[in-house]
Amino acid sequence: MWFNGLLDLSVWQLIAVTLVLTHITIVSVTLYLHRHSAHNALDLHPVLKHFFRFWLWMTTAQNTKEWTAIHRKHHAKCETEEDPHSPVVLGIRKVLLEGAELYAEAATPETLERYGQRTPEDWVERNVYSRYKMLGIMLMAVLNLALFGVHGIWIWAVQMMWIPVWAAGVVNGVGHYLGYRNFECADNARNISPWGILIGGEELHNNHHTYPNSAKLSRRWYEVDIGWGYIRLFQLFGLAKPKGYRPIAHYVPGKQEVDVETVQAITNSRFDIMRQYRKRVMEPVLRQQRSLMDDEIRPRYRKLKQLLSREATLIKPKDKEQLETVLERHEILRQIYEKSHELQQLWRQRGLKPQEKLQALMEWCKEAEASGIRYLEEFAAHLRAYSLRPVA
């Protein structure tokens, strides 16, 4: 009948179509706006880029420059007062419920000028997408009504809510509030789920903040980045080319000499190196020391395990006091904790020349191997075997 639109679909068909339409929007955001425009981790064919721009104009009313600039500022000022949408600063409720409004407030001329470089400024962008922002979503409403009849109203409403809820709210809010962390990056980013399906891989937010210029967001074998699947698919047809997604660090079994390439490799893969330090040194030593802990400390074993490897700047004052109390009573724990921070100084200390970094790493390995702590000795030998990945 006429009120069912030109396609006259069943309820289940309408639901399926809605999921497909919103999925295209998610793919457009994660591939085009995020990985290509904001982080330059991905090259896209001009035809595919313009399709994404056109689709986002019809479904989000936000142009490339605004989204890119705000996201870049988020990375540059993460978890500070200048962060456009940090739940750590603004509270989880505000970011969840007012994510789209926070984007609108952040799109100031100063932000666009500073962080909106290398974004489209062609005739279509100037005279259509930026000039008539609301025209796109109005066009989508008309198309939905024509194709789906009265059902087009709720389909259009779902489309308009999809990005504000999932991207602006859930990723920016929950992604900095709840979830697991593969890596101890300097902000509170977390992986919401290991299966990045609903939000195209953006659920893997801790991975992304650790390696922001990687076109691939999954890092563990059990993590699924559906956006990466689309990149590979488009790559088969010459429509996409990922730039950075493989670490340059390469493990060479049997290598025993520390050289400049070793320093470069572990510096590039520093977050993964520290994750290995947690697994290979901190956790086994902590298990050994557990039986020596008194009744007051033992119930907080799990919390202590987290604090030992937690990014120091993110530890709350109360937790820092508890950690110091434990370290004062257990010399071995203090030793491996201090050695972890000494290793991090290799890439955190600015102005060091390559030879100075090499000397510092050699000294670290020498001290670790003379520590008398088996796990620390083995980890030093493990570090010596790193080099740069051979050119393919």
Side-chain angles (χ1 to χ4, degrees):
M1 299 181 69
W2 66 267
F3 53 80
N4 286 330
L6 296 174
L7 298 181
D8 194 19
L9 301 179
S10 68
V11 173
W12 289 111
Q13 288 174 324
L14 289 168
I15 293 174
V17 166
T18 303
L19 292 175
V20 169
L21 293 176
T22 52
H23 189 70
I24 294 173
T25 304
I26 285 290
V27 173
S28 301
V29 170
T30 187
L31 263 60
Y32 172 67
L33 287 180
H34 195 192
R35 308 186 203 201
H36 167 72
S37 182
H39 293 288
N40 195 31
L42 173 69
D43 280 336
L44 294 172
H45 190 279
V47 172
L48 194 57
K49 281 193 290 187
H50 203 95
F51 167 76
F52 286 144
R53 285 169 64 192
F54 176 71
W55 187 262
L56 290 166
W57 176 62
M58 291 202 304
T59 55
T60 67
Q62 189 169 41
N63 65 27
T64 303
K65 188 169 189 173
E66 287 184 359
W67 197 98
T68 299
I70 294 167
H71 186 74
R72 287 174 179 168
K73 184 175 182 179
H74 164 62
H75 276 267
K77 307 294 182 180
C78 196
E79 319 295 24
T80 70
E81 295 291 340
E82 295 183 70
D83 189 334
H85 44 66
S86 170
V88 175
V89 177
L90 301 172
I92 183 65
R93 179 181 176 85
K94 186 174 183 65
V95 178
L96 275 175
L97 300 181
E98 302 177 35
E101 289 81 356
L102 291 173
Y103 263 87
E105 292 173 10
T108 62
E110 294 77 16
T111 296
L112 299 185
E113 176 66 25
R114 181 172 181 181
Y115 298 101
Q117 305 299 318
R118 302 182 306 280
T119 52
E121 294 183 358
D122 54 17
W123 185 92
V124 176
E125 191 70 39
R126 295 192 311 270
N127 295 280
V128 181
Y129 298 154
S130 295
R131 189 174 182 182
Y132 302 107
K133 289 184 179 180
M134 305 306 293
L135 181 59
I137 59 176
M138 291 170 61
L139 176 60
M140 178 60 76
V142 172
L143 288 173
N144 282 359
L145 287 171
L147 294 174
F148 311 119
V150 294
H151 297 288
I153 299 173
W154 65 262
I155 292 175
W156 180 84
V158 171
Q159 285 181 283
M160 296 304 106
M161 291 171 55
W162 205 256
I163 293 301
V165 170
W166 285 108
V170 174
V171 174
N172 294 337
V174 179
H176 282 263
Y177 194 76
L178 292 174
Y180 70 96
R181 286 166 67 89
N182 281 331
F183 309 100
E184 282 301 316
C185 56
D187 54 66
N188 205 44
R190 297 171 179 274
N191 293 329
I192 304 171
S193 164
W195 306 289
I197 297 175
L198 280 176
I199 324 179
E202 299 296 326
E203 291 98 326
L204 301 168
H205 206 54
N206 172 253
N207 296 356
H208 167 61
H209 269 254
T210 303
Y211 298 102
N213 296 321
S214 173
K216 183 181 181 182
L217 304 189
S218 56
R219 288 287 165 174
R220 305 269 76 85
W221 66 267
Y222 52 82
E223 293 174 343
V224 178
D225 171 14
I226 197 170
W228 178 246
Y230 282 114
I231 291 172
R232 285 304 206 187
L233 176 63
F234 291 138
Q235 193 175 12
L236 289 176
F237 298 97
L239 299 174
K241 182 181 179 181
K243 292 183 178 180
Y245 65 94
R246 298 176 67 192
I248 66 172
H250 179 61
Y251 188 78
V252 184
K255 181 175 178 292
Q256 298 179 356
E257 292 298 321
V258 176
D259 51 30
V260 173
E261 287 197 358
T262 308
V263 177
Q264 293 175 335
I266 68 172
T267 299
N268 175 263
S269 298
R270 56 191 179 276
F271 294 105
D272 193 60
I273 292 296
M274 295 315 301
R275 183 176 186 274
Q276 291 181 39
Y277 189 90
R278 183 181 80 233
K279 295 289 185 181
R280 291 170 173 261
V281 181
M282 286 185 166
E283 292 183 4
V285 170
L286 186 59
R287 283 195 296 269
Q288 285 184 340
Q289 293 293 302
R290 186 174 187 176
S291 60
L292 303 177
M293 294 178 182
D294 55 39
D295 294 337
E296 180 184 354
I297 297 175
R298 197 175 295 117
R300 299 199 296 269
Y301 174 82
R302 181 173 294 182
K303 181 65 175 254
L304 177 61
K305 181 178 175 181
Q306 296 173 346
L307 292 177
L308 280 172
S309 58
R310 185 75 160 144
E311 163 63 34
T313 59
L314 300 179
I315 299 178
K316 298 176 182 178
K318 183 179 180 180
D319 290 335
K320 189 172 293 186
E321 290 179 9
Q322 294 178 354
L323 178 59
E324 279 298 323
T325 299
V326 174
L327 295 180
E328 287 175 3
R329 299 180 186 178
H330 297 271
E331 180 58 32
I332 292 181
L333 291 182
R334 173 175 286 280
Q335 193 170 350
I336 64 168
Y337 185 72
E338 290 178 347
K339 293 302 291 182
S340 73
H341 286 275
E342 290 174 12
L343 183 58
Q344 292 177 67
Q345 285 301 310
L346 191 68
W347 48 78
R348 287 183 170 175
Q349 191 171 343
R350 302 294 183 184
L352 287 182
K353 297 177 181 179
Q355 286 300 323
E356 292 174 329
K357 289 185 178 181
L358 173 59
Q359 186 62 39
L361 179 59
M362 292 174 64
E363 188 65 26
W364 189 94
C365 289
K366 183 179 177 180
E367 292 176 359
E369 289 166 346
S371 66
I373 303 174
R374 178 168 64 90
Y375 298 107
L376 195 55
E377 295 171 10
E378 292 174 351
F379 190 77
H382 176 75
L383 284 185
R384 291 179 181 275
Y386 273 98
S387 187
L388 298 180
R389 185 178 296 278
V391 179

